[in-house]
mmCIF file of all heavy atoms in Angstrom:
data_model
loop_
_atom_site.group_PDB
_atom_site.id
_atom_site.type_symbol
_atom_site.label_atom_id
_atom_site.label_comp_id
_atom_site.label_asym_id
_atom_site.label_seq_id
_atom_site.Cartn_x
_atom_site.Cartn_y
_atom_site.Cartn_z
ATOM 1 N N LEU A 1323 -5.853 13.013 -20.387
ATOM 2 C CA LEU A 1323 -5.383 12.719 -21.619
ATOM 3 C C LEU A 1323 -4.402 11.587 -21.558
ATOM 4 O O LEU A 1323 -3.663 11.226 -22.505
ATOM 5 C CB LEU A 1323 -4.819 13.964 -22.267
ATOM 6 C CG LEU A 1323 -5.802 15.090 -22.420
ATOM 7 C CD1 LEU A 1323 -5.166 16.306 -23.165
ATOM 8 C CD2 LEU A 1323 -7.026 14.691 -23.289
ATOM 9 N N ASN A 1324 -4.121 11.112 -20.328
ATOM 10 C CA ASN A 1324 -3.132 9.938 -20.115
ATOM 11 C C ASN A 1324 -3.902 8.615 -19.757
ATOM 12 O O ASN A 1324 -4.351 8.557 -18.615
ATOM 13 C CB ASN A 1324 -2.228 10.335 -18.985
ATOM 14 C CG ASN A 1324 -1.242 9.278 -18.625
ATOM 15 O OD1 ASN A 1324 -1.428 8.138 -19.038
ATOM 16 N ND2 ASN A 1324 -0.130 9.659 -17.877
ATOM 17 N N PRO A 1325 -4.101 7.823 -20.742
ATOM 18 C CA PRO A 1325 -4.838 6.579 -20.549
ATOM 19 C C PRO A 1325 -4.446 5.741 -19.349
ATOM 20 O O PRO A 1325 -5.225 5.186 -18.586
ATOM 21 C CB PRO A 1325 -4.677 5.743 -21.873
ATOM 22 C CG PRO A 1325 -4.111 6.730 -22.806
ATOM 23 C CD PRO A 1325 -3.426 7.782 -22.080
ATOM 24 N N LYS A 1326 -3.155 5.658 -19.021
ATOM 25 C CA LYS A 1326 -2.589 4.884 -17.853
ATOM 26 C C LYS A 1326 -3.067 5.470 -16.582
ATOM 27 O O LYS A 1326 -3.510 4.835 -15.667
ATOM 28 C CB LYS A 1326 -1.064 4.937 -17.924
ATOM 29 C CG LYS A 1326 -0.446 3.718 -18.607
ATOM 30 C CD LYS A 1326 0.966 3.490 -18.172
ATOM 31 C CE LYS A 1326 1.714 2.446 -18.982
ATOM 32 N NZ LYS A 1326 3.028 2.715 -19.272
ATOM 33 N N ALA A 1327 -3.053 6.868 -16.506
ATOM 34 C CA ALA A 1327 -3.432 7.621 -15.316
ATOM 35 C C ALA A 1327 -4.947 7.351 -15.096
ATOM 36 O O ALA A 1327 -5.417 7.061 -14.015
ATOM 37 C CB ALA A 1327 -3.111 9.053 -15.430
ATOM 38 N N VAL A 1328 -5.730 7.462 -16.187
ATOM 39 C CA VAL A 1328 -7.203 7.225 -16.007
ATOM 40 C C VAL A 1328 -7.510 5.749 -15.624
ATOM 41 O O VAL A 1328 -8.405 5.489 -14.772
ATOM 42 C CB VAL A 1328 -7.935 7.649 -17.377
ATOM 43 C CG1 VAL A 1328 -9.387 7.421 -17.270
ATOM 44 C CG2 VAL A 1328 -7.624 9.115 -17.621
ATOM 45 N N LYS A 1329 -6.663 4.826 -16.126
ATOM 46 C CA LYS A 1329 -6.926 3.437 -15.756
ATOM 47 C C LYS A 1329 -6.686 3.249 -14.275
ATOM 48 O O LYS A 1329 -7.557 2.589 -13.556
ATOM 49 C CB LYS A 1329 -6.040 2.555 -16.611
ATOM 50 C CG LYS A 1329 -6.416 1.129 -16.489
ATOM 51 C CD LYS A 1329 -5.657 0.229 -17.538
ATOM 52 C CE LYS A 1329 -6.015 -1.177 -17.331
ATOM 53 N NZ LYS A 1329 -4.955 -2.061 -17.783
ATOM 54 N N ALA A 1330 -5.629 3.902 -13.751
ATOM 55 C CA ALA A 1330 -5.340 3.762 -12.312
ATOM 56 C C ALA A 1330 -6.478 4.441 -11.452
ATOM 57 O O ALA A 1330 -6.788 4.063 -10.452
ATOM 58 C CB ALA A 1330 -3.992 4.495 -12.036
ATOM 59 N N LEU A 1331 -7.083 5.486 -12.061
ATOM 60 C CA LEU A 1331 -8.189 6.168 -11.307
ATOM 61 C C LEU A 1331 -9.358 5.305 -11.247
ATOM 62 O O LEU A 1331 -9.951 5.139 -10.091
ATOM 63 C CB LEU A 1331 -8.634 7.437 -12.313
ATOM 64 C CG LEU A 1331 -9.728 8.278 -11.926
ATOM 65 C CD1 LEU A 1331 -9.509 9.022 -10.646
ATOM 66 C CD2 LEU A 1331 -10.068 9.173 -13.029
ATOM 67 N N PHE A 1332 -9.763 4.499 -12.267
ATOM 68 C CA PHE A 1332 -10.807 3.542 -12.153
ATOM 69 C C PHE A 1332 -10.475 2.510 -11.096
ATOM 70 O O PHE A 1332 -11.354 2.073 -10.248
ATOM 71 C CB PHE A 1332 -11.069 2.849 -13.422
ATOM 72 C CG PHE A 1332 -11.944 3.702 -14.498
ATOM 73 C CD1 PHE A 1332 -11.420 4.468 -15.520
ATOM 74 C CD2 PHE A 1332 -13.290 3.670 -14.331
ATOM 75 C CE1 PHE A 1332 -12.126 5.110 -16.377
ATOM 76 C CE2 PHE A 1332 -14.092 4.367 -15.250
ATOM 77 C CZ PHE A 1332 -13.571 5.080 -16.247
ATOM 78 N N ARG A 1333 -9.250 2.106 -11.119
ATOM 79 C CA ARG A 1333 -8.860 0.940 -10.223
ATOM 80 C C ARG A 1333 -8.947 1.436 -8.763
ATOM 81 O O ARG A 1333 -9.360 0.691 -7.944
ATOM 82 C CB ARG A 1333 -7.410 0.479 -10.561
ATOM 83 C CG ARG A 1333 -7.180 -0.878 -9.991
ATOM 84 C CD ARG A 1333 -5.775 -1.468 -10.403
ATOM 85 N NE ARG A 1333 -5.634 -1.510 -11.841
ATOM 86 C CZ ARG A 1333 -4.506 -0.945 -12.432
ATOM 87 N NH1 ARG A 1333 -3.524 -0.299 -11.665
ATOM 88 N NH2 ARG A 1333 -4.361 -1.067 -13.780
ATOM 89 N N ALA A 1334 -8.392 2.670 -8.483
ATOM 90 C CA ALA A 1334 -8.353 3.206 -7.109
ATOM 91 C C ALA A 1334 -9.737 3.210 -6.493
ATOM 92 O O ALA A 1334 -10.008 2.917 -5.339
ATOM 93 C CB ALA A 1334 -7.550 4.436 -7.113
ATOM 94 N N LYS A 1335 -10.692 3.568 -7.325
ATOM 95 C CA LYS A 1335 -12.118 3.773 -6.901
ATOM 96 C C LYS A 1335 -12.886 2.547 -6.930
ATOM 97 O O LYS A 1335 -13.979 2.477 -6.494
ATOM 98 C CB LYS A 1335 -12.853 4.785 -7.868
ATOM 99 C CG LYS A 1335 -12.803 6.188 -7.390
ATOM 100 C CD LYS A 1335 -13.706 7.038 -8.329
ATOM 101 C CE LYS A 1335 -15.167 6.767 -8.303
ATOM 102 N NZ LYS A 1335 -15.905 7.559 -7.350
#
Side-chain angles (χ1 to χ4, degrees):
L1323 303 180
N1324 176 345
K1326 269 199 184 142
V1328 177
K1329 193 166 179 206
L1331 176 69
F1332 277 100
R1333 200 178 303 127
K1335 268 186 65 94

